[in-house]
Amino acid sequence: MKRSIQLDRRAFLKGIGGAAMALPVLDAMGAEVTGQIPRRFCAIYTANGMSLPQAEHDLQDWSWFPAKGGNGDFAFGKSTEPLAPFRKQLSFLGGLYHPNGPKADPHVCSDMWLTGAPLQNPKPGAYNSAGLDQVIALHTKQYCRQPSLVLSIDAGTGYLSRTGTISYNLDGRPIPAENSPRRVFDRLFRADHASLAAEHEKLQRRIKLVDAVAESARALDGQLGATDRERMDQYMTSLDEVESRLIASERWIDIPLKKQDYSHLNLDVTNEGEPAEYYRNMFDLIALAFDADITRTVTFMLNREDGMGISDTFPLKLGLSKTHHNLSHATDKEGQLQFARYDLFLSKQIAHFLERLNGYQDRNGKVLDNTIVMFGSGASTTHNSHNLPTLIAGGANMGLKHGTYWRSEGEMRMSNVHLSILRSLGIEQESFSDSTGTLSNSIFERL
Amino acid sequence: MTLRNPRLRLGSRSAVALLVLGGMAFTARYLLGQAAAIAPVGLEASFERIVKPFFQQNCVPCHNSDMSTAGIRVDQLDGQFEDRHIPVWEAIRRRIREGSMPPRGMPQPTNAERRQMAEWIDRALEVASQRPAPKNGLVRRLTISQYRNTLRELLLLEDDLTAGLPPDAVSKDGFVNNKDTLQLSPLLTEAYFEIAEEALNRSIVDPKSKPTIQNFRVDLGTGINPAPLPEKLVLGADSMLLENPDFLVTQFKPTKPFAFEPFTMRTKYRFIEGYRGNDTVRGWREYDSIYHAVFACMRGSKGYPKGDPYNVVAEGLLLRPAIPNDEQFGADGTYGPKANFKISVRELPEDGRFRVTIMAAKYNDGLLLDAGTPPETSDGAVWKDAKTPGSVTIPKAGVYQADIYEREQKLPLADSTGLRTGLAGSWPEDTAAAGRLDAKAKLVDSPVGKAVSLSGGSDAFTVPREAIPTDDAMNVGEGDFSVAAWVHPGQLRKAGIVSLGGSERMLGWYLEMADTRGTLRFQTAGPETQANGTVSSPPGVIRANTWQHVAAVVRRGLNETRLYVNGYLVARAATGTAQFDDPKADLQLGRSPGAEALEGELAEVRLYNRPLDEGEIQALLQPGKQFVERAPERKLAVTLTLGGRQFAGALQQPAFLAVRLEAGPLAIAVTHSGARDLDRIVLTPLAAGSAVAKRFLAFERRSPRVGVHLGLRRDCGSSLAPVGAPQTVASEKLTRFVFEGAIRNFPSPSVEKDNVNYLAGVREIGVRSEYTDGRDMPRLLIRSVEFEGPYYESWPPASHRNLLADFDRKNDLPAYARKIMGSFAARAYRRPATATEEAGLMAVYQKSLDSGRGFQESIRDALLVALTSPQFLLLVEKSNTPAPEPLDDYELSSKLSYFLWNGPPDRNTLRLAAAGTLRKQLDSEVSRMVADPRFSRFLGEFTFQWLNLDKFQVLEPDRKRYPQLTRETRTQLKQEPVEFLQYLVRNNLPVRNLIQSDFLVANETVASYYDLPDKPDSGFQFVAIPHRRRELGGLLTQAAILAGLSDGRESNPVKRGAWVARKIIAEPPADPPPNVPALKEDTAGLTLRQRIEQHRNQNGCRQCHAKIDPWGVAFEEFDAGGRLKPQPVDAKSTLPDHTEIDGANGLKRYLAEDRIDQVAFSFLKHLTKYAAGRTLTYSELAYLKQDGLKLKANGYRMQDMIRYVANSKMFLEK
C-alpha cells in the first residue's frame, strides 16, 4: 500500500533534548485514532496486605483503612496521610473479595487479583484467566503504540502461587514483567530502527493476508446466490475492523513521540538500590508513558507475596525490624506498627505518582482525570483474602466520584469492581470473570 | 454494513450483482412471506373486524406498552400472526376459553365473543402450522469446539490453540450451535488469524533440521541407585521425596528412523532463592547433579485412612488408590491426592507430542483388615519373636489371616532417689536460677505447686543464661538431656512449653504443642538452622483445661528420644547429634518461635542434663497423681514382610492382614514405628466360606488402574491434568503402559528461563493408582516412568507431511504449490475449491514468493489465508431461491458430520459426496457415523446442552450437607447422563428408557453415590447395571439433573418443574415476566415448598407456575444432592391436566404410559434443532409433532430418531 507521508522516526529521536520537530500527528493518524480522548487504567499491587492492627494494641490510627465518618466521609489514617492532598481524587473501597480467594492457597492472591480465577483447581492446560488490564488492552491497543505495559519489582513471571507479575493475557498466561527503568525507557521512548522495520514488515504482511482473505471471501460471496448474507456481512465487517486496527498499529510506528521532559529520570536505579528512588523512577516512567499516550493500560507489582524476591528486604532497608512477609504476620504491637510504617512508605510512593499524573495535561484536563488508578492488595493482612484493601484514584472524566470511603453491605465481589472499571472506560462487557454486576451506588457514577 | 476500508468492500461489479440479486431475493421473500401470512388476507381483515375490537375492549387496558401486566402486551399483536407471537396467542386462547381472563371483577365479554375469539385463534394457528418457512440457505460459523476439532483433524495437530477464545453464546433452547447466536466479531476474527499462524508454525517444520528429543527414565526400588546423591534434597514445604538411593535417573538416546539431537538435561544450576520449611532463604548456591533436576516426589500423602499411601520395595514403588485431596482453605486443596506420586523435573519440551511409558504391575497384595475383625483362634503357623526376622512353615497353600500381637506396656514403680542428680533447675520456684515474668505473665498457686500463668501474646517466663553462669547447666551441647513439666493449657493451639533456642527456628530445642489437635512435639535445630530431628506424638495426647505431665527424654544419636504424657510413652524417634547450644539464648517457658505464647499454666518445669528413666518420670508425676490419665495410644504403624512381600498399615487390633500364601517355608519379619513393642505373629488358614476369605477373594480379583498426569509444581501443591484415560493393570507381571498427549495442552509453569528460585518452573509427571470410591484394591507397583518428547514417529512429522505432501515433481515449485493448495483447500473447505478460490490462494503464494519469502513461508501464507477464510470458518448452505431446495452433497456431508461428530466429514463421507451417492446412502452413512468413536462428541455436546448440565457443572454444593458430592464424584455424575444416552443410542432402545429404565449406566463412583448393592468392578468405565430400586432409572432422577436444578442446599421444585416442562415434555413455560415481585419477607419459618405455594397463589404468578411447579413437586423426595431424602416427603402433585400423581415414580409412570408421544416429540424437537443448527418454525414444529408419530409403532427407538431427523426435510432442505 502507498503511504502519503513518510516519517523518519530516527530523525525525530535525534531531537530529544534539543528542538524536536513538530509533526502533524493528527494528519498522519487520521482523526479516528487520535481524536479520542484517552481512557487509561493503572493497577498497582502490593503483596501481603496492609497493616490492620488488632484492637488491643490501640493503634487504630495506623490502620490502612481510614476511619469512617458519616455519609461516606472519612479521615486518613497515619499510614495513608501522604494521600490526603488527593482526597477529592480518590476513594477507599472496603468489603471486597474474590470468591475464589478463600478457596485457594492464600499465596495465590496476587495471581488472581486482576483475574478472579479459581486457581485452586485450574482447568487442564489453563494457568489463570484473562486479567483486567489485558481485557482493557484488547480494547485500547488500536489507539496507542503499546497494548500494555507490565511492570514488577522482579522481572519475569515468578510462578503460579508465587507470581512475579499481576498481568495475565487472554489465555490466562502470565505476561513477563519488566523491572529495569532503563530497559523500559529504551523500549518505550527510544525504539531502534531494526525492530521498527521488522515490525513494519510483519504488520504489512498481515495486512496483505487480510486483503487476501477478503478476496477469498468475495469469491465465496459470488457463489452465494440468494443465500442469507447476514453472517457474511458480519464476517466482512469484522475483517474490516481487524484491518483498520492493523493499519492503525502500523501507522503508529512512524508517528513521532510527544515531546516530553525526561530530565527528572534517573535511569541508573535498580531494585537493588534505594527502594524509594526505584519506585519513584518506575512511577515517573508510567506517568510519561501515559502522557505520551504510548499505552493505556499499565500494571505494576510493587512487591511479592510470601517473602519472595528482593522487595521482601525493603522494610529492612528502610530501617524497620523485619522483612515484608514477616511484618505482615506480626501480631504484636510493635510488629503491626512497623508494618503500618511500611504502608506509610508505600503511600508516599503512590502520592508521588498521583502528583505526576496531575502534572500532565490531556486536552480535556489532567491525565489523572482520564486515568483510573487502582492500588491495593489481594489480602487484607497476613494472607486473609477477605476485605481486600483497595484504593481507587482518578477517572473524574469517566464519571468517578471521589472523596469517600465506600464499603459494601456484606461482602462484594472484586470482579464487580473490575467490571465497573471496564464500563467506566467505555468497554461494554456483560461481565468480567465471576462478576455478578457492577458496583451500584458507589464511586462509579456512570455505569 | 458500512465498510470504512474501501479495499475490503465487495468488488464493485459483484456488489452491483449482489444488489440486484439481493433485491430479487427480497422481493421473492416478501411475496412468499405475504403468501405465507395466509394468503391470509382473510386473517388480516378478520383481525381488524374481530380481534382488534375484542382486545381494545377486554385486554389492552392492562396489557399495553405502558403497563404490560404479567409481561404480556397485546397491543403489538396483529393479523400477521407471526411465529414469535404464537405462544402469546395460545395463552390468550386458553384464558379466553377457560374464562380466567379478564380477571374477576372486570367487565366480561359475552360467551359468543369469547367463542368467536377462540375460533379465530384456532383458525390462525391452523394457518400458521401450514405455512412454509422461507428458505434462504443457512450460514453458520463453526462453534468453538467444532473449530477446535476441525483444526485438529485438518492439520493433524493435537495442540489445543483455542483455549483463549470466548465461549459461544447459548440459544434459548440451550444450544451453542444455533446460527443466530453464533456471532462473529473483530476479536474472534483477530483470534482466527493468531491461531492459524500459530497452528501452521507448529505443523510445518524445516525438514532439513534435526529435531531435539528428550528421553529419560526414572527407575524405582529400594536401593536401586548405586551412587545416590549424598546431600538431602528438599523440594519446598511438605516436601516428601523418595530416599535418594531409591530412585535412579537415566537419560537415553531413543532409536529413531531419522537423525536427531538427543536432549541432555542441564545439571548445573545457580539459585539465590530456596525454601526451608515454609521460609524463603536467600543466598547464591550452586548445584551440579541430575538429582537437582529430577526428583521422585510425594506430596499430600499424610493421613491415608488405611495402610501407607505408598511404600518403596525392592521391585519398585507401591501405590494405593490416590484419594482426592482434602479440603484446604475451605475448598478442594491443591496438594493433590494421597498418594500423589510424581516425577518433578526442571526441563521438559515446550511443544509437541510426548509419550510417558510406565512399567507397572498389580502387586500380589494382602488385604488390610478393618477395625472390628476378630483374631483367628484356631492353630496356625506362629512366629513367637516379633523382634527378630525368621521363618515359619506354611502347611498348605491358601488364604491366611495374619494376627499381630502387641506386648503389654507395664509402668515401673516411682523412683525418686536420684532426682536431684543432673538437675539444671526447676521453675518457677527455683531461687538459684531465678526467672523473670514477661509481659502479663504472673505466678499463681496450683494443685501441683507454684505455677506460671500466661495469657498468650508476648507473655513468657524467661530464665536468663546468666542466672546460672557458673556451671552453665542449661548447656546441653551434644549430650543427652531431659525436660519435664506440668502443663495446664487453656486452649489447644501451637504454643511453646519449654524452649531453649533463638527465634525463628534457630539453633536449639523446643518442646511444644504443635497444633490445635493436642499433638506434643519436640523439635531441634542444629547450627545454621539445619533441622536435627522432630519427634511428634499422635494428636489428642494433650488435653485442654486439665493438668498433665509432659516429659522429653533425649538420648542423642539413638532412636531413643522419647516423649511421655502422664508417664505413658507417646512417641519415640531419633534426634541427631548436633550441638544445640546457643549461648545467647535464654530458657523460655510457654513460648515457641513463630507462635503466640501458651495460654494456660506451667509448673514444675525441670531440665536435666541426663536422660531420666521411666521410674523417675513416675516420681515426677506424684504431686499431681489425681490428674493422671492414660494418654490415648497411637496405633502402631507396622510393616509385615512375608517372603518378598511387604504389607504396611496401622495395627488397630491383632487381626491385621488377609493374604494368599504358598505352602512351604516363609520368611517372616515385622518392623514398626511407634512407642510400644510387638510380641508375636499368628498365621491362620481361613475357611473358604469365612467372611474375611470372601472379602479377600473379591479384593484379589480387582485390578488397580494406572493414570498419568502432567502439569506443574506449586508451592501449595500441584496443578496436574490427566493424560488420556487410566489403564487397567491386571497382570502381576510388569507390563508397559503408554500414555500420550500434546504437551501444550497441559498446565505449564510459564516461568522465565533465568529464574533464580530453586523451586520455580518445576514440571511434574504424576503417576497414580486411580481412585474411584475407596474400595480395597491391590496396590499398583510402579517400576519405572519413562518420558520421551517431543515424540516423533517420523521426521518430518505427520503434520508436516500432511500439508507438504510427497510430490514427484518437487522441483517444479509452482506445480508443487498448486498441488498442495488444491488438496488443502478441498479438505479445509470440505468440498473441492473453485478455480477462483484456488487461483486466489496461488496468488497469495506467488506474492509472498515475490516479496522474498521462501517456498515454505509462502505456502504457509497461502494456507493461513485458507484457514481464515469464510469457506473454512463458516458452514454454508447456498440457496438460489426462497423456495426449499435440497442440500447439495457436500453441504450434506458437512451438515451430517458436524451433527454427528461435531467435526469435519472424513474421507469416506466426502467420497460419497463426490460420487453424488451420499443422499442415497444416507442411512448407512448415519449408522457408520454413530458407530464411530467420534460420535461420542455428539453425545457430549448434545446431552450437555439439551439437559442443561452446565447447571450441575457450576453447582457449589453445601459441603456439610452433601460431603459425598466431591469434585471427583461430580465429574463422574456429570458424565452419567451422557453415558446413559450413549447406551440407549448404541443399543437403539426405546425412548421410554429416558423416563424409566430398569438399569443404570454407572461406573464405580456413580454406583457408590447411589449406594447400589451390586457395585461393578469397572473403574471409571460406565456399564449397564440392573437395579431394583424404585427411585432410580431414567434421566429424570439422575443426580446431575436433580442436583443441578438445586442451589446446592435445598431442592427446588420450580427449577425442576421448569426443566421437565421445557426439556422433557416440550411445553416450555413462558419466560418469567420482568419485575417479578420478590417473595415476601415474612416467610422465614416456611419450607421452600410452602414459600413456593405462597408465591404461586399470588395473582400474576399463578398462571405460569401452575404449569411449572407440579412437575417439580413430584421430585420433592429427592434432596439437593439428587438422592432420596431420609424422611418420607409429601410429593403428591396435580399436573396441569389434572392428573394426580404421587412422587417421581408416579410422574415417571404417567410420562412413560400416557405422555410418551410428548416425550418423544421433545427429544425429536431438541435433536432437530441441534442437527439443523437453527430454531424451528411453528409449522415445522407442528409437522414434527404429527409426522414423528410414525416412529411410535417401533417404540420411538433412539437411533431410529436420529436417522429420522437426518432424513427429515428440516435437515435436508435449505
Side-chain angles (χ1 to χ4, degrees), chain A residues 1 32 54 56-57 99-108 111 118-127 138-139 141-142 154-162 164 170-174 176 201-202 205-247 272 304-313 322 325-326 331-333, chain B residues 1-5 7-11 14 18 21 25 29 136-141 163-165 179-187 189-190 192-194 197 273 275 278-280 282 328-335 458 504 596 712-716 718-719 721-722 744-752 755 757 759-761 829 831 834 836-837 844 847-848 851 853 861-862 864-865 868-871 873-874 876-882 956 967:
Chain A
M1 65 189 288
E32 87 247 33
Q54 290 160 0
E56 67 198 67
H57 294 322
N100 284 314
K103 294 178 191 173
D105 174 348
H107 303 106
V108 301
D111 303 52
L119 291 175
Q120 75 275 19
N121 181 28
K123 281 186 200 137
Y127 181 95
L138 185 67
H139 293 271
K141 66 180 181 186
Q142 65 264 38
D154 294 321
T157 58
Y159 50 105
L160 182 62
S161 78
R162 300 294 184 279
L170 300 175
D171 293 338
R173 294 202 162 258
E201 200 204 309
K202 192 181 135 203
R205 197 171 71 240
R206 182 59 73 79
I207 290 168
K208 278 185 197 145
L209 292 179
V210 172
D211 282 347
V213 172
E215 191 62 42
S216 174
R218 277 190 286 273
L220 177 63
D221 199 82
Q223 310 165 28
L224 281 185
T227 310
D228 178 18
R229 278 188 168 68
E230 193 187 335
R231 213 43 90 231
M232 275 299 284
D233 290 353
Q234 214 176 49
Y235 177 84
M236 291 307 283
T237 313
S238 299
L239 204 59
D240 177 41
E241 175 68 26
V242 169
E243 175 152 24
S244 301
R245 290 181 187 186
L246 288 170
I247 292 170
E272 302 280 344
R304 292 174 63 190
E305 302 290 347
D306 196 36
M308 298 293 302
I310 185 86
S311 58
D312 200 38
T313 62
K322 287 183 177 172
H325 179 230
N326 279 328
T331 51
D332 60 315
K333 180 171 185 175
Chain B
M1 165 169 78
T2 55
L3 286 175
R4 285 195 295 264
N5 183 349
R7 285 170 309 103
L8 280 190
R9 285 182 198 138
L10 301 173
S14 69
L18 182 69
L21 260 176
R29 196 188 320 171
N136 285 297
L138 184 106
V139 180
R140 279 187 287 167
R141 101 165 143 70
L165 292 176
K179 77 172 173 75
D180 294 321
T181 51
L182 284 166
Q183 302 284 320
L184 277 151
S185 67
L187 165 61
T189 307
E190 226 168 34
Y192 287 144
F193 275 91
E194 302 292 335
E197 180 153 6
E273 284 176 349
Y275 264 60
N278 214 12
D279 295 333
T280 307
R282 279 178 77 83
Q328 304 258 354
F329 313 115
D332 291 325
T334 49
Y335 280 100
S458 323
E504 317 216 343
E596 270 199 272
L712 61 106
R713 179 200 176 281
R714 319 167 43 168
D715 279 0
C716 47
S718 305
S719 294
R744 278 275 174 174
N745 297 351
F746 293 85
S748 69
S750 298
V751 172
E752 64 279 17
N755 194 298
N757 188 297
L759 300 177
Y829 300 169
R831 58 167 170 79
T834 64
T836 324
E837 285 163 343
V844 177
K847 266 188 206 158
S848 288
S851 77
R853 280 164 74 76
D861 285 347
L864 185 137
V865 168
T868 47
S869 289
Q871 286 90 333
L873 298 168
L874 306 179
V876 178
E877 295 167 13
K878 290 174 202 158
S879 171
N880 291 314
T881 69
E956 298 224 8
R967 192 171 70 215

Side-chain angles (χ1 to χ4, degrees), chain B residues 8-39:
Chain B
L8 280 190
R9 285 182 198 138
L10 301 173
S12 56
R13 241 183 60 200
S14 69
V16 171
L18 182 69
L19 199 70
V20 173
L21 260 176
M24 279 162 52
F26 175 74
T27 317
R29 196 188 320 171
Y30 177 75
L31 288 174
L32 187 91
Q34 285 297 301
I38 322 225

Side-chain angles (χ1 to χ4, degrees), chain A residues 67-285:
Chain A
K68 207 166 157 80
N71 208 10
D73 201 7
F74 66 90
F76 283 96
K78 286 185 180 166
S79 67
T80 55
E81 190 62 41
L83 294 165
F86 306 94
R87 171 185 285 273
K88 292 288 166 222
Q89 289 179 290
L90 61 75
S91 298
F92 288 86
L93 275 62
L96 299 168
Y97 85 126
H98 275 308
N100 284 314
K103 294 178 191 173
D105 174 348
H107 303 106
V108 301
C109 51
S110 60
D111 303 52
M112 66 168 66
W113 190 55
L114 292 180
T115 72
L119 291 175
Q120 75 275 19
N121 181 28
K123 281 186 200 137
Y127 181 95
N128 199 328
S129 60
L132 176 63
D133 61 307
Q134 291 305 305
V135 172
I136 292 168
L138 185 67
H139 293 271
T140 56
K141 66 180 181 186
Q142 65 264 38
Y143 305 118
C144 48
R145 290 156 203 272
Q146 297 283 336
S148 67
L149 180 59
V150 177
L151 305 175
S152 171
I153 183 68
D154 294 321
T157 58
Y159 50 105
L160 182 62
S161 78
R162 300 294 184 279
T163 173
T165 180
I166 51 171
S167 185
Y168 292 83
N169 73 14
L170 300 175
D171 293 338
R173 294 202 162 258
I175 300 178
E178 296 176 279
N179 73 342
S180 155
R182 180 169 297 284
R183 276 210 302 271
V184 171
F185 180 81
D186 286 350
R187 192 170 64 78
L188 295 188
F189 299 94
R190 295 176 190 267
D192 70 272
H193 205 75
S195 73
L196 287 180
E199 187 68 7
H200 255 309
E201 200 204 309
K202 192 181 135 203
L203 289 168
Q204 279 176 355
R205 197 171 71 240
R206 182 59 73 79
I207 290 168
K208 278 185 197 145
L209 292 179
V210 172
D211 282 347
V213 172
E215 191 62 42
S216 174
R218 277 190 286 273
L220 177 63
D221 199 82
Q223 310 165 28
L224 281 185
T227 310
D228 178 18
R229 278 188 168 68
E230 193 187 335
R231 213 43 90 231
M232 275 299 284
D233 290 353
Q234 214 176 49
Y235 177 84
M236 291 307 283
T237 313
S238 299
L239 204 59
D240 177 41
E241 175 68 26
V242 169
E243 175 152 24
S244 301
R245 290 181 187 186
L246 288 170
I247 292 170
S249 309
E250 208 229 345
R251 281 186 193 163
W252 272 120
I253 296 173
D254 293 328
I255 305 300
L257 278 171
K258 179 175 178 175
K259 190 191 168 196
Q260 289 175 300
D261 177 7
Y262 306 132
S263 62
H264 58 293
L265 292 177
N266 172 8
L267 298 174
D268 294 327
V269 297
T270 71
N271 61 0
E272 302 280 344
E274 178 63 35
E277 183 69 357
Y278 175 77
Y279 285 137
R280 185 181 72 73
N281 275 282
M282 291 294 272
F283 279 126
D284 286 348
L285 282 169

Side-chain angles (χ1 to χ4, degrees), chain B residues 708-841:
Chain B
V708 168
H709 302 247
L710 190 79
L712 61 106
R713 179 200 176 281
R714 319 167 43 168
D715 279 0
C716 47
S718 305
S719 294
L720 295 172
V723 181
Q727 302 181 40
T728 303
V729 182
S731 168
E732 289 180 7
K733 279 221 281 295
L734 283 174
T735 311
R736 257 173 107 238
F737 296 90
V738 175
F739 295 82
E740 290 183 350
I743 205 154
R744 278 275 174 174
N745 297 351
F746 293 85
S748 69
S750 298
V751 172
E752 64 279 17
K753 288 272 175 272
D754 54 353
N755 194 298
V756 288
N757 188 297
Y758 187 80
L759 300 177
V762 175
R763 300 207 65 156
E764 293 189 328
I765 305 165
V767 183
R768 295 178 195 164
S769 170
E770 297 291 345
Y771 175 93
T772 59
D773 64 353
R775 66 188 66 195
D776 287 308
M777 178 74 64
R779 282 173 287 176
L780 173 69
L781 175 76
I782 306 289
R783 177 59 177 183
S784 65
V785 179
E786 180 178 344
F787 177 91
E788 182 183 331
Y791 181 81
Y792 302 111
E793 266 149 9
S794 57
W795 187 263
S799 64
H800 179 98
R801 284 177 294 128
N802 171 47
L803 296 179
L804 292 132
D806 272 338
F807 187 60
D808 46 11
R809 285 177 292 138
K810 277 195 179 172
N811 291 333
D812 182 354
L813 287 185
Y816 188 26
R818 197 165 298 116
K819 154 120 199 220
I820 292 169
M821 230 64 83
S823 95
F824 184 78
R827 290 197 300 126
Y829 300 169
R830 304 168 284 265
R831 58 167 170 79
T834 64
T836 324
E837 285 163 343
E838 275 196 38
L841 294 179

Side-chain angles (χ1 to χ4, degrees), chain B residues 423 468-475 609:
Chain B
L423 180 64
I468 38 171
T470 46
D471 58 351
D472 197 10
M474 278 191 224
N475 181 354
N609 53 23

